């Protein structure tokens, strides 16, 4: 493993544009469950009941209860060594660095990354379906307050600002992400199973365009076959090592 990390560090230190894609695996060490691992959310909760627009239409309170409970857990979470390693990488590469995340947990921002594209939204944002406002909402609510009233128009027709199955991602953001995958020198995929479209296309785009693709994951994933190198291990252990080698190499 160490030889592969050294190889990746050698390539990355000479790159100008780095595009990083992250998924739930990077936040596991912060105490936030993934979706498809052994104790993942989709092993306990059904997608159809909690993560589709139909589920929300049928029972908004039930869906809100689930997100409210997850918000409570995520609010207590802190970035781990993998998040901080990516913040250091942005420091090193400045404008050449971009971070695309599927995570809704805000931990990259807390770790001080700046150029972040949150393709699946953010659990600390609420969207009003009446006045269309999207606003920062870090509150965890009492059950009788759910769904929470809009801060602006007071309607109770609000929802978490996340992307459910069957919903489109923000068009300009996914286009931007595709461009970043196509034009980078190095594409780094971290802690994602690559099970969800259209994000899973990003490493494929990078590979198709001849970019160096490297994956950091605790296990092989559907992305592994598109990667030039796969580094199996916990991101909170492998990424700090990668970044320390890059820093050493850049003098
Ligand atoms: C570690 C680790 C450690 C653990 N260190 N690693 C084309 C073909 C077929 C279907 C579709 C298609 N296009 C669209 C679809 C439908 C659908 C889809 O993809 N379905 C698939 C299941 C096939 N996609 C959509 O509906 C998307 N919308 C869309 O495309 O709109 C247009 C359209 C609509 C309908 C039809 C056609 C077109 C929207 C997808 C929204 C996904 N939303 C969720 C919930 C977000 C809100 C919330 O959190 O509640 O996003 S689902 C969930 O999965 C969440 C995640 O962001 C996403 C990805 O999961 P992730 O991050 O990869 O986590 P895991 O658990 O899967 O993997 C964890 C990984 O970490 C593992 O690999 C571990 O090994 C690793 N790991 N510990 C390093 N310490």
């Amino acid at each position: 493993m160490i030889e592969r990390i050294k190889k990746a560090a050698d390539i990355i230190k000479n790159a100008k544009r780095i595009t990083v894609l992250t998924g739930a695996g990077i936040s596991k060490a912060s105490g936030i469950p993934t979706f498809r691992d052994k104790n993942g959310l989709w092993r306990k909760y059904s997608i159809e009941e909690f993560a589709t627009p139909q589920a929300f239409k049928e029972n908004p309170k039930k869906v809100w209860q689930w997100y409210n409970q997850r918000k409570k857990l995520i609010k207590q979470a802190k970035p781990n060594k993998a998040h901080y390693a990516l913040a250091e990488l942005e420091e090193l590469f400045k404008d050449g660095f971009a971070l695309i995340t599927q995570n809704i947990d805000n931990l990259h921002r807390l770790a001080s990354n700046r150029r972040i594209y949150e393709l699946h939204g953010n659990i600390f944002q609420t969207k009003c379906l009446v006045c269309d406002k999207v606003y920062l909402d870090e509150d965890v609510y009492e059950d009788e307050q759910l769904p929470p009233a809009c801060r602006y128009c007071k309607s109770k027709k609000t929802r978490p600002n996340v992307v459910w199955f069957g919903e489109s991602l923000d068009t300009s953001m996914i286009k931007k992400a595709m461009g970043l995958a196509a034009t980078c020198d190095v594409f780094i995929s971290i802690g994602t199973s690559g099970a969800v479209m259209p994000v899973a296309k990003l490493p494929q785009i990078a590979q198709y365009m001849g970019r160096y693709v490297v994956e950091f994951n605790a296990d092989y994933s559907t992305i592994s076959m598109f990667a030039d190198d796969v580094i199996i291990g916990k991101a909170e252990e492998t990424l700090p090592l990668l970044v320390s080698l890059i820093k050493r190499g850049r003098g």
Side-chain angles (χ1 to χ4, degrees), residues 159-210:
R159 60 167 284 177
N161 192 34
V162 299
V163 182
W164 290 319
F165 283 101
E167 292 188 315
S168 298
L169 282 67
D170 179 280
T171 314
S172 65
M173 216 190 284
I174 186 69
K175 272 194 191 154
K176 181 77 195 173
M178 285 174 173
L180 287 165
T183 59
C184 62
D185 301 314
V186 173
F187 186 94
I188 311 177
S189 172
I190 305 164
T192 174
S193 61
V196 172
M197 293 289 178
V199 173
K201 284 261 174 237
L202 297 174
Q204 297 180 37
I205 291 172
Q207 186 231 24
Y208 181 78
M209 295 302 286

Side-chain angles (χ1 to χ4, degrees), residues 20-23 26 99-105 108 116-121 199:
V20 177
L21 168 67
T22 62
I26 196 169
L99 176 50
I100 300 163
T101 188
Q102 298 165 90
N103 298 345
I104 61 168
D105 59 28
H108 288 305
I116 309 169
Y117 298 90
E118 292 173 315
L119 289 185
H120 290 165
V199 173

Side-chain angles (χ1 to χ4, degrees), residues 49-62:
E49 273 181 66
F50 295 102
T52 66
Q54 291 82 355
F56 183 71
K57 202 173 162 196
E58 274 161 33
N59 200 337
K61 180 148 183 156
K62 181 177 168 184

Side-chain angles (χ1 to χ4, degrees), residues 22-29 33-37 40-42 47 50-51 66-67 70 74 82 101-104 119-121 123 162-169 190-201 215-223 231 233-238:
T22 62
I26 196 169
S27 295
K28 196 170 171 179
T34 63
F35 293 92
R36 297 169 184 83
D37 286 341
L41 291 174
W42 299 153
I47 289 176
F50 295 102
W66 193 60
Y67 278 94
R70 285 176 62 201
I74 292 173
T101 188
Q102 298 165 90
N103 298 345
I104 61 168
L119 289 185
H120 290 165
I123 198 165
V162 299
V163 182
W164 290 319
F165 283 101
E167 292 188 315
S168 298
L169 282 67
I190 305 164
T192 174
S193 61
V196 172
M197 293 289 178
V199 173
K201 284 261 174 237
E215 178 184 30
F216 289 79
N217 199 309
D219 206 347
Y220 290 96
S221 76
T222 57
I223 288 170
I231 292 156
K234 291 179 175 175
E236 61 276 19
E237 292 167 6
T238 54

